[in-house]
Amino acid sequence: MTKILVADDAAFVRLWCTHMLSRQGFEVIEASDGRDAIAKFRDHRPDAVLLDVAMPELDGIGALREIRLIDPKARVAMLTGLGQRHILLEALNAGARDFVVKPFKPERVMSALNKLLDTDEATSA
């Protein structure tokens, strides 16, 4: 079963993602902040990560950098609010492969995951 790590400090976002992704057949692992995301990534080695930009303890950019140190081929998409688009270039430069703007639409989340999980792209990264 494909494992997805969803890291967001908002419980309702994690719940929404977990519900939607579970219905699509994914195993979902949740993290509530950047440090928790790094620990869960290390412990579970998910196939893809949905990582919020703004989180306590350690923000998404910092967590992304740490995750990429653990696994340089980690497949990560950033979750961002409309007012955080300026941070996305930094996230893409740090190794994020896509981003999803809140409020989420299920088809956009699935599109980002499909991009992350595409084996052809994964082997060329």
Side-chain angles (χ1 to χ4, degrees):
M1 182 179 286
T2 304
K3 290 188 274 187
I4 308 297
L5 172 60
V6 175
D8 198 299
D9 58 317
F12 73 91
V13 171
R14 293 192 313 271
L15 180 64
W16 183 89
C17 287
T18 297
H19 177 73
M20 186 204 60
L21 296 173
S22 295
R23 291 181 67 206
Q24 296 292 323
F26 295 104
E27 176 184 344
V28 182
I29 302 148
E30 295 184 25
S32 59
D33 61 50
R35 298 225 183 273
D36 190 28
I38 294 165
K40 298 270 175 76
F41 184 87
R42 186 177 287 119
D43 292 345
H44 297 279
R45 298 297 177 144
D47 299 289
V49 181
L50 298 176
L51 185 62
D52 188 23
V53 169
M55 292 186 290
E57 297 297 318
L58 181 64
D59 69 14
I61 303 292
L64 171 62
R65 288 186 176 120
E66 291 293 322
I67 287 169
R68 298 276 297 179
L69 286 175
I70 296 166
D71 180 359
K73 294 182 179 181
R75 301 172 192 176
V76 181
M78 304 305 289
L79 306 176
T80 181
L82 286 172
Q84 300 169 321
R85 286 188 177 202
H86 64 284
I87 298 172
L88 292 179
L89 183 57
E90 185 179 356
L92 293 170
N93 287 335
R97 295 190 186 178
D98 203 354
F99 63 92
V100 180
V101 178
K102 298 175 185 177
F104 304 134
K105 293 182 179 173
E107 57 274 5
R108 178 62 188 110
V109 174
M110 291 308 302
S111 172
L113 279 176
N114 287 334
K115 181 177 178 181
L116 293 177
L117 297 170
D118 179 15
T119 54
D120 291 333
E121 182 177 314
T123 56
S124 67

PDB file of all heavy atoms in Angstrom, residues 44-79:
ATOM      1  N   HIS A  44       8.792   5.977   8.971  1.00  0.00           N
ATOM      2  CA  HIS A  44       7.849   5.295   8.070  1.00  0.00           C
ATOM      3  C   HIS A  44       8.269   5.273   6.603  1.00  0.00           C
ATOM      4  O   HIS A  44       7.683   4.528   5.819  1.00  0.00           O
ATOM      5  CB  HIS A  44       6.460   5.936   8.183  1.00  0.00           C
ATOM      6  CG  HIS A  44       5.860   5.812   9.539  1.00  0.00           C
ATOM      7  ND1 HIS A  44       5.221   4.677   9.965  1.00  0.00           N
ATOM      8  CD2 HIS A  44       5.819   6.683  10.584  1.00  0.00           C
ATOM      9  CE1 HIS A  44       4.795   4.849  11.207  1.00  0.00           C
ATOM     10  NE2 HIS A  44       5.155   6.056  11.607  1.00  0.00           N
ATOM     11  N   ARG A  45       9.216   6.115   6.217  1.00  0.00           N
ATOM     12  CA  ARG A  45       9.671   6.185   4.821  1.00  0.00           C
ATOM     13  C   ARG A  45       8.494   6.207   3.838  1.00  0.00           C
ATOM     14  O   ARG A  45       8.357   5.299   2.996  1.00  0.00           O
ATOM     15  CB  ARG A  45      10.615   5.038   4.489  1.00  0.00           C
ATOM     16  CG  ARG A  45      11.881   5.026   5.306  1.00  0.00           C
ATOM     17  CD  ARG A  45      12.717   6.266   5.036  1.00  0.00           C
ATOM     18  NE  ARG A  45      13.897   6.269   5.895  1.00  0.00           N
ATOM     19  CZ  ARG A  45      15.068   6.717   5.522  1.00  0.00           C
ATOM     20  NH1 ARG A  45      15.231   7.225   4.328  1.00  0.00           N
ATOM     21  NH2 ARG A  45      16.069   6.692   6.357  1.00  0.00           N
ATOM     22  N   PRO A  46       7.660   7.239   3.916  1.00  0.00           N
ATOM     23  CA  PRO A  46       6.501   7.294   3.024  1.00  0.00           C
ATOM     24  C   PRO A  46       6.912   7.450   1.561  1.00  0.00           C
ATOM     25  O   PRO A  46       8.015   7.900   1.252  1.00  0.00           O
ATOM     26  CB  PRO A  46       5.750   8.541   3.516  1.00  0.00           C
ATOM     27  CG  PRO A  46       6.814   9.396   4.120  1.00  0.00           C
ATOM     28  CD  PRO A  46       7.788   8.434   4.741  1.00  0.00           C
ATOM     29  N   ASP A  47       5.995   7.093   0.689  1.00  0.00           N
ATOM     30  CA  ASP A  47       6.234   7.208  -0.746  1.00  0.00           C
ATOM     31  C   ASP A  47       6.139   8.646  -1.224  1.00  0.00           C
ATOM     32  O   ASP A  47       6.742   9.011  -2.236  1.00  0.00           O
ATOM     33  CB  ASP A  47       5.215   6.347  -1.506  1.00  0.00           C
ATOM     34  CG  ASP A  47       5.358   4.882  -1.124  1.00  0.00           C
ATOM     35  OD1 ASP A  47       6.366   4.276  -1.520  1.00  0.00           O
ATOM     36  OD2 ASP A  47       4.484   4.359  -0.405  1.00  0.00           O
ATOM     37  N   ALA A  48       5.360   9.470  -0.504  1.00  0.00           N
ATOM     38  CA  ALA A  48       5.204  10.881  -0.849  1.00  0.00           C
ATOM     39  C   ALA A  48       4.821  11.653   0.417  1.00  0.00           C
ATOM     40  O   ALA A  48       4.306  11.080   1.374  1.00  0.00           O
ATOM     41  CB  ALA A  48       4.138  11.067  -1.926  1.00  0.00           C
ATOM     42  N   VAL A  49       5.074  12.970   0.371  1.00  0.00           N
ATOM     43  CA  VAL A  49       4.806  13.837   1.513  1.00  0.00           C
ATOM     44  C   VAL A  49       4.028  15.063   1.048  1.00  0.00           C
ATOM     45  O   VAL A  49       4.393  15.689   0.053  1.00  0.00           O
ATOM     46  CB  VAL A  49       6.119  14.312   2.181  1.00  0.00           C
ATOM     47  CG1 VAL A  49       5.836  15.199   3.381  1.00  0.00           C
ATOM     48  CG2 VAL A  49       6.998  13.122   2.561  1.00  0.00           C
ATOM     49  N   LEU A  50       2.973  15.392   1.781  1.00  0.00           N
ATOM     50  CA  LEU A  50       2.268  16.662   1.636  1.00  0.00           C
ATOM     51  C   LEU A  50       2.638  17.477   2.866  1.00  0.00           C
ATOM     52  O   LEU A  50       2.303  17.105   3.990  1.00  0.00           O
ATOM     53  CB  LEU A  50       0.758  16.448   1.552  1.00  0.00           C
ATOM     54  CG  LEU A  50       0.261  15.626   0.370  1.00  0.00           C
ATOM     55  CD1 LEU A  50      -1.246  15.400   0.466  1.00  0.00           C
ATOM     56  CD2 LEU A  50       0.616  16.305  -0.950  1.00  0.00           C
ATOM     57  N   LEU A  51       3.343  18.590   2.673  1.00  0.00           N
ATOM     58  CA  LEU A  51       3.992  19.312   3.760  1.00  0.00           C
ATOM     59  C   LEU A  51       3.546  20.769   3.784  1.00  0.00           C
ATOM     60  O   LEU A  51       3.782  21.509   2.821  1.00  0.00           O
ATOM     61  CB  LEU A  51       5.514  19.213   3.559  1.00  0.00           C
ATOM     62  CG  LEU A  51       6.453  19.775   4.580  1.00  0.00           C
ATOM     63  CD1 LEU A  51       6.282  19.078   5.930  1.00  0.00           C
ATOM     64  CD2 LEU A  51       7.891  19.613   4.094  1.00  0.00           C
ATOM     65  N   ASP A  52       2.910  21.171   4.882  1.00  0.00           N
ATOM     66  CA  ASP A  52       2.461  22.552   5.032  1.00  0.00           C
ATOM     67  C   ASP A  52       3.665  23.484   5.141  1.00  0.00           C
ATOM     68  O   ASP A  52       4.678  23.142   5.756  1.00  0.00           O
ATOM     69  CB  ASP A  52       1.588  22.669   6.293  1.00  0.00           C
ATOM     70  CG  ASP A  52       0.916  24.019   6.431  1.00  0.00           C
ATOM     71  OD1 ASP A  52       0.742  24.726   5.417  1.00  0.00           O
ATOM     72  OD2 ASP A  52       0.558  24.373   7.564  1.00  0.00           O
ATOM     73  N   VAL A  53       3.555  24.655   4.556  1.00  0.00           N
ATOM     74  CA  VAL A  53       4.632  25.640   4.613  1.00  0.00           C
ATOM     75  C   VAL A  53       4.753  26.234   6.016  1.00  0.00           C
ATOM     76  O   VAL A  53       5.848  26.320   6.563  1.00  0.00           O
ATOM     77  CB  VAL A  53       4.398  26.763   3.568  1.00  0.00           C
ATOM     78  CG1 VAL A  53       5.344  27.923   3.794  1.00  0.00           C
ATOM     79  CG2 VAL A  53       4.553  26.218   2.156  1.00  0.00           C
ATOM     80  N   ALA A  54       3.640  26.646   6.604  1.00  0.00           N
ATOM     81  CA  ALA A  54       3.654  27.351   7.894  1.00  0.00           C
ATOM     82  C   ALA A  54       3.233  26.410   9.018  1.00  0.00           C
ATOM     83  O   ALA A  54       2.064  26.041   9.122  1.00  0.00           O
ATOM     84  CB  ALA A  54       2.722  28.557   7.836  1.00  0.00           C
ATOM     85  N   MET A  55       4.219  26.003   9.846  1.00  0.00           N
ATOM     86  CA  MET A  55       3.949  25.123  10.982  1.00  0.00           C
ATOM     87  C   MET A  55       4.802  25.569  12.162  1.00  0.00           C
ATOM     88  O   MET A  55       5.862  26.153  11.968  1.00  0.00           O
ATOM     89  CB  MET A  55       4.290  23.667  10.640  1.00  0.00           C
ATOM     90  CG  MET A  55       3.398  23.030   9.617  1.00  0.00           C
ATOM     91  SD  MET A  55       3.766  21.264   9.387  1.00  0.00           S
ATOM     92  CE  MET A  55       5.353  21.335   8.582  1.00  0.00           C
ATOM     93  N   PRO A  56       4.360  25.240  13.377  1.00  0.00           N
ATOM     94  CA  PRO A  56       5.172  25.552  14.555  1.00  0.00           C
ATOM     95  C   PRO A  56       6.353  24.586  14.682  1.00  0.00           C
ATOM     96  O   PRO A  56       6.429  23.594  13.947  1.00  0.00           O
ATOM     97  CB  PRO A  56       4.194  25.367  15.718  1.00  0.00           C
ATOM     98  CG  PRO A  56       3.188  24.388  15.216  1.00  0.00           C
ATOM     99  CD  PRO A  56       3.079  24.644  13.730  1.00  0.00           C
ATOM    100  N   GLU A  57       7.228  24.881  15.601  1.00  0.00           N
ATOM    101  CA  GLU A  57       8.425  24.077  15.884  1.00  0.00           C
ATOM    102  C   GLU A  57       9.458  24.208  14.772  1.00  0.00           C
ATOM    103  O   GLU A  57      10.577  24.571  15.019  1.00  0.00           O
ATOM    104  CB  GLU A  57       8.096  22.603  16.134  1.00  0.00           C
ATOM    105  CG  GLU A  57       7.233  22.340  17.331  1.00  0.00           C
ATOM    106  CD  GLU A  57       7.881  22.753  18.637  1.00  0.00           C
ATOM    107  OE1 GLU A  57       9.080  22.511  18.823  1.00  0.00           O
ATOM    108  OE2 GLU A  57       7.169  23.339  19.457  1.00  0.00           O
ATOM    109  N   LEU A  58       9.071  23.863  13.570  1.00  0.00           N
ATOM    110  CA  LEU A  58       9.948  23.965  12.400  1.00  0.00           C
ATOM    111  C   LEU A  58       9.033  24.123  11.197  1.00  0.00           C
ATOM    112  O   LEU A  58       8.129  23.318  10.991  1.00  0.00           O
ATOM    113  CB  LEU A  58      10.800  22.699  12.265  1.00  0.00           C
ATOM    114  CG  LEU A  58      11.786  22.645  11.109  1.00  0.00           C
ATOM    115  CD1 LEU A  58      12.863  23.718  11.262  1.00  0.00           C
ATOM    116  CD2 LEU A  58      12.430  21.273  11.023  1.00  0.00           C
ATOM    117  N   ASP A  59       9.257  25.165  10.402  1.00  0.00           N
ATOM    118  CA  ASP A  59       8.359  25.391   9.261  1.00  0.00           C
ATOM    119  C   ASP A  59       8.590  24.362   8.163  1.00  0.00           C
ATOM    120  O   ASP A  59       9.507  23.533   8.236  1.00  0.00           O
ATOM    121  CB  ASP A  59       8.503  26.825   8.732  1.00  0.00           C
ATOM    122  CG  ASP A  59       9.843  27.107   8.063  1.00  0.00           C
ATOM    123  OD1 ASP A  59      10.598  26.170   7.749  1.00  0.00           O
ATOM    124  OD2 ASP A  59      10.138  28.301   7.841  1.00  0.00           O
ATOM    125  N   GLY A  60       7.734  24.413   7.158  1.00  0.00           N
ATOM    126  CA  GLY A  60       7.782  23.425   6.088  1.00  0.00           C
ATOM    127  C   GLY A  60       9.067  23.451   5.287  1.00  0.00           C
ATOM    128  O   GLY A  60       9.557  22.401   4.866  1.00  0.00           O
ATOM    129  N   ILE A  61       9.636  24.631   5.074  1.00  0.00           N
ATOM    130  CA  ILE A  61      10.892  24.725   4.314  1.00  0.00           C
ATOM    131  C   ILE A  61      12.018  24.038   5.088  1.00  0.00           C
ATOM    132  O   ILE A  61      12.798  23.269   4.531  1.00  0.00           O
ATOM    133  CB  ILE A  61      11.263  26.191   4.020  1.00  0.00           C
ATOM    134  CG1 ILE A  61      10.138  26.908   3.273  1.00  0.00           C
ATOM    135  CG2 ILE A  61      12.578  26.266   3.249  1.00  0.00           C
ATOM    136  CD1 ILE A  61       9.880  26.441   1.883  1.00  0.00           C
ATOM    137  N   GLY A  62      12.094  24.303   6.388  1.00  0.00           N
ATOM    138  CA  GLY A  62      13.109  23.657   7.218  1.00  0.00           C
ATOM    139  C   GLY A  62      12.919  22.153   7.262  1.00  0.00           C
ATOM    140  O   GLY A  62      13.880  21.384   7.163  1.00  0.00           O
ATOM    141  N   ALA A  63      11.666  21.714   7.403  1.00  0.00           N
ATOM    142  CA  ALA A  63      11.374  20.274   7.417  1.00  0.00           C
ATOM    143  C   ALA A  63      11.719  19.651   6.070  1.00  0.00           C
ATOM    144  O   ALA A  63      12.289  18.555   6.017  1.00  0.00           O
ATOM    145  CB  ALA A  63       9.902  20.039   7.763  1.00  0.00           C
ATOM    146  N   LEU A  64      11.402  20.338   4.983  1.00  0.00           N
ATOM    147  CA  LEU A  64      11.734  19.841   3.642  1.00  0.00           C
ATOM    148  C   LEU A  64      13.235  19.635   3.508  1.00  0.00           C
ATOM    149  O   LEU A  64      13.683  18.585   3.016  1.00  0.00           O
ATOM    150  CB  LEU A  64      11.231  20.827   2.581  1.00  0.00           C
ATOM    151  CG  LEU A  64      11.679  20.571   1.142  1.00  0.00           C
ATOM    152  CD1 LEU A  64      11.177  19.236   0.632  1.00  0.00           C
ATOM    153  CD2 LEU A  64      11.209  21.712   0.242  1.00  0.00           C
ATOM    154  N   ARG A  65      14.016  20.594   3.949  1.00  0.00           N
ATOM    155  CA  ARG A  65      15.474  20.468   3.851  1.00  0.00           C
ATOM    156  C   ARG A  65      15.983  19.270   4.655  1.00  0.00           C
ATOM    157  O   ARG A  65      16.862  18.533   4.193  1.00  0.00           O
ATOM    158  CB  ARG A  65      16.135  21.756   4.317  1.00  0.00           C
ATOM    159  CG  ARG A  65      15.953  22.880   3.314  1.00  0.00           C
ATOM    160  CD  ARG A  65      16.741  24.121   3.703  1.00  0.00           C
ATOM    161  NE  ARG A  65      16.615  25.124   2.664  1.00  0.00           N
ATOM    162  CZ  ARG A  65      16.107  26.332   2.844  1.00  0.00           C
ATOM    163  NH1 ARG A  65      15.701  26.710   4.040  1.00  0.00           N
ATOM    164  NH2 ARG A  65      16.036  27.173   1.840  1.00  0.00           N
ATOM    165  N   GLU A  66      15.433  19.069   5.849  1.00  0.00           N
ATOM    166  CA  GLU A  66      15.844  17.930   6.678  1.00  0.00           C
ATOM    167  C   GLU A  66      15.422  16.601   6.051  1.00  0.00           C
ATOM    168  O   GLU A  66      16.193  15.639   6.056  1.00  0.00           O
ATOM    169  CB  GLU A  66      15.256  18.059   8.090  1.00  0.00           C
ATOM    170  CG  GLU A  66      15.850  19.183   8.897  1.00  0.00           C
ATOM    171  CD  GLU A  66      17.309  18.961   9.244  1.00  0.00           C
ATOM    172  OE1 GLU A  66      17.700  17.802   9.538  1.00  0.00           O
ATOM    173  OE2 GLU A  66      18.078  19.936   9.206  1.00  0.00           O
ATOM    174  N   ILE A  67      14.216  16.561   5.527  1.00  0.00           N
ATOM    175  CA  ILE A  67      13.730  15.346   4.868  1.00  0.00           C
ATOM    176  C   ILE A  67      14.614  15.009   3.669  1.00  0.00           C
ATOM    177  O   ILE A  67      14.976  13.855   3.450  1.00  0.00           O
ATOM    178  CB  ILE A  67      12.249  15.498   4.472  1.00  0.00           C
ATOM    179  CG1 ILE A  67      11.371  15.414   5.732  1.00  0.00           C
ATOM    180  CG2 ILE A  67      11.832  14.460   3.432  1.00  0.00           C
ATOM    181  CD1 ILE A  67       9.918  15.804   5.514  1.00  0.00           C
ATOM    182  N   ARG A  68      15.008  16.025   2.916  1.00  0.00           N
ATOM    183  CA  ARG A  68      15.866  15.787   1.741  1.00  0.00           C
ATOM    184  C   ARG A  68      17.275  15.351   2.148  1.00  0.00           C
ATOM    185  O   ARG A  68      17.958  14.690   1.372  1.00  0.00           O
ATOM    186  CB  ARG A  68      15.915  17.036   0.864  1.00  0.00           C
ATOM    187  CG  ARG A  68      14.565  17.463   0.293  1.00  0.00           C
ATOM    188  CD  ARG A  68      14.183  16.759  -0.936  1.00  0.00           C
ATOM    189  NE  ARG A  68      15.160  17.073  -1.974  1.00  0.00           N
ATOM    190  CZ  ARG A  68      15.109  16.592  -3.190  1.00  0.00           C
ATOM    191  NH1 ARG A  68      14.144  15.789  -3.538  1.00  0.00           N
ATOM    192  NH2 ARG A  68      16.021  16.895  -4.081  1.00  0.00           N
ATOM    193  N   LEU A  69      17.710  15.699   3.355  1.00  0.00           N
ATOM    194  CA  LEU A  69      18.992  15.178   3.855  1.00  0.00           C
ATOM    195  C   LEU A  69      18.866  13.690   4.171  1.00  0.00           C
ATOM    196  O   LEU A  69      19.801  12.918   3.938  1.00  0.00           O
ATOM    197  CB  LEU A  69      19.437  15.937   5.109  1.00  0.00           C
ATOM    198  CG  LEU A  69      19.962  17.354   4.882  1.00  0.00           C
ATOM    199  CD1 LEU A  69      20.244  18.029   6.224  1.00  0.00           C
ATOM    200  CD2 LEU A  69      21.207  17.365   4.003  1.00  0.00           C
ATOM    201  N   ILE A  70      17.720  13.294   4.694  1.00  0.00           N
ATOM    202  CA  ILE A  70      17.466  11.883   4.989  1.00  0.00           C
ATOM    203  C   ILE A  70      17.365  11.085   3.693  1.00  0.00           C
ATOM    204  O   ILE A  70      17.921  10.003   3.567  1.00  0.00           O
ATOM    205  CB  ILE A  70      16.173  11.719   5.821  1.00  0.00           C
ATOM    206  CG1 ILE A  70      16.342  12.381   7.187  1.00  0.00           C
ATOM    207  CG2 ILE A  70      15.790  10.245   5.957  1.00  0.00           C
ATOM    208  CD1 ILE A  70      15.029  12.577   7.943  1.00  0.00           C
ATOM    209  N   ASP A  71      16.626  11.648   2.732  1.00  0.00           N
ATOM    210  CA  ASP A  71      16.429  10.988   1.444  1.00  0.00           C
ATOM    211  C   ASP A  71      16.415  12.042   0.339  1.00  0.00           C
ATOM    212  O   ASP A  71      15.407  12.731   0.152  1.00  0.00           O
ATOM    213  CB  ASP A  71      15.107  10.211   1.436  1.00  0.00           C
ATOM    214  CG  ASP A  71      14.865   9.501   0.105  1.00  0.00           C
ATOM    215  OD1 ASP A  71      15.690   9.618  -0.831  1.00  0.00           O
ATOM    216  OD2 ASP A  71      13.823   8.827   0.001  1.00  0.00           O
ATOM    217  N   PRO A  72      17.522  12.212  -0.382  1.00  0.00           N
ATOM    218  CA  PRO A  72      17.589  13.227  -1.440  1.00  0.00           C
ATOM    219  C   PRO A  72      16.539  13.055  -2.538  1.00  0.00           C
ATOM    220  O   PRO A  72      16.260  13.986  -3.273  1.00  0.00           O
ATOM    221  CB  PRO A  72      18.998  13.056  -2.020  1.00  0.00           C
ATOM    222  CG  PRO A  72      19.772  12.401  -0.931  1.00  0.00           C
ATOM    223  CD  PRO A  72      18.788  11.513  -0.206  1.00  0.00           C
ATOM    224  N   LYS A  73      15.949  11.863  -2.636  1.00  0.00           N
ATOM    225  CA  LYS A  73      14.927  11.619  -3.658  1.00  0.00           C
ATOM    226  C   LYS A  73      13.509  11.696  -3.089  1.00  0.00           C
ATOM    227  O   LYS A  73      12.557  11.291  -3.755  1.00  0.00           O
ATOM    228  CB  LYS A  73      15.149  10.257  -4.309  1.00  0.00           C
ATOM    229  CG  LYS A  73      16.436  10.197  -5.101  1.00  0.00           C
ATOM    230  CD  LYS A  73      16.605   8.868  -5.775  1.00  0.00           C
ATOM    231  CE  LYS A  73      17.892   8.861  -6.590  1.00  0.00           C
ATOM    232  NZ  LYS A  73      18.095   7.601  -7.274  1.00  0.00           N
ATOM    233  N   ALA A  74      13.377  12.209  -1.864  1.00  0.00           N
ATOM    234  CA  ALA A  74      12.053  12.321  -1.239  1.00  0.00           C
ATOM    235  C   ALA A  74      11.110  13.095  -2.156  1.00  0.00           C
ATOM    236  O   ALA A  74      11.491  14.087  -2.777  1.00  0.00           O
ATOM    237  CB  ALA A  74      12.167  13.015   0.112  1.00  0.00           C
ATOM    238  N   ARG A  75       9.895  12.617  -2.231  1.00  0.00           N
ATOM    239  CA  ARG A  75       8.873  13.197  -3.103  1.00  0.00           C
ATOM    240  C   ARG A  75       7.947  14.052  -2.237  1.00  0.00           C
ATOM    241  O   ARG A  75       7.121  13.516  -1.495  1.00  0.00           O
ATOM    242  CB  ARG A  75       8.096  12.103  -3.797  1.00  0.00           C
ATOM    243  CG  ARG A  75       8.985  11.206  -4.621  1.00  0.00           C
ATOM    244  CD  ARG A  75       8.222  10.031  -5.130  1.00  0.00           C
ATOM    245  NE  ARG A  75       9.136   9.036  -5.670  1.00  0.00           N
ATOM    246  CZ  ARG A  75       8.752   7.866  -6.111  1.00  0.00           C
ATOM    247  NH1 ARG A  75       7.483   7.524  -6.084  1.00  0.00           N
ATOM    248  NH2 ARG A  75       9.627   7.020  -6.584  1.00  0.00           N
ATOM    249  N   VAL A  76       8.084  15.377  -2.352  1.00  0.00           N
ATOM    250  CA  VAL A  76       7.378  16.295  -1.468  1.00  0.00           C
ATOM    251  C   VAL A  76       6.629  17.341  -2.273  1.00  0.00           C
ATOM    252  O   VAL A  76       7.173  17.937  -3.204  1.00  0.00           O
ATOM    253  CB  VAL A  76       8.370  17.009  -0.511  1.00  0.00           C
ATOM    254  CG1 VAL A  76       7.636  17.960   0.424  1.00  0.00           C
ATOM    255  CG2 VAL A  76       9.187  15.992   0.281  1.00  0.00           C
ATOM    256  N   ALA A  77       5.366  17.577  -1.878  1.00  0.00           N
ATOM    257  CA  ALA A  77       4.577  18.693  -2.389  1.00  0.00           C
ATOM    258  C   ALA A  77       4.235  19.578  -1.201  1.00  0.00           C
ATOM    259  O   ALA A  77       3.911  19.090  -0.119  1.00  0.00           O
ATOM    260  CB  ALA A  77       3.302  18.206  -3.078  1.00  0.00           C
ATOM    261  N   MET A  78       4.329  20.870  -1.399  1.00  0.00           N
ATOM    262  CA  MET A  78       4.051  21.823  -0.336  1.00  0.00           C
ATOM    263  C   MET A  78       2.569  22.205  -0.336  1.00  0.00           C
ATOM    264  O   MET A  78       1.951  22.340  -1.396  1.00  0.00           O
ATOM    265  CB  MET A  78       4.899  23.087  -0.509  1.00  0.00           C
ATOM    266  CG  MET A  78       6.399  22.827  -0.571  1.00  0.00           C
ATOM    267  SD  MET A  78       7.092  21.910   0.822  1.00  0.00           S
ATOM    268  CE  MET A  78       6.972  23.127   2.129  1.00  0.00           C
ATOM    269  N   LEU A  79       2.031  22.383   0.874  1.00  0.00           N
ATOM    270  CA  LEU A  79       0.678  22.871   1.069  1.00  0.00           C
ATOM    271  C   LEU A  79       0.802  24.320   1.508  1.00  0.00           C
ATOM    272  O   LEU A  79       1.546  24.628   2.434  1.00  0.00           O
ATOM    273  CB  LEU A  79      -0.036  22.055   2.153  1.00  0.00           C
ATOM    274  CG  LEU A  79      -0.055  20.536   1.965  1.00  0.00           C
ATOM    275  CD1 LEU A  79      -0.704  19.864   3.167  1.00  0.00           C
ATOM    276  CD2 LEU A  79      -0.757  20.159   0.677  1.00  0.00           C
TER     277      LEU A  79
END
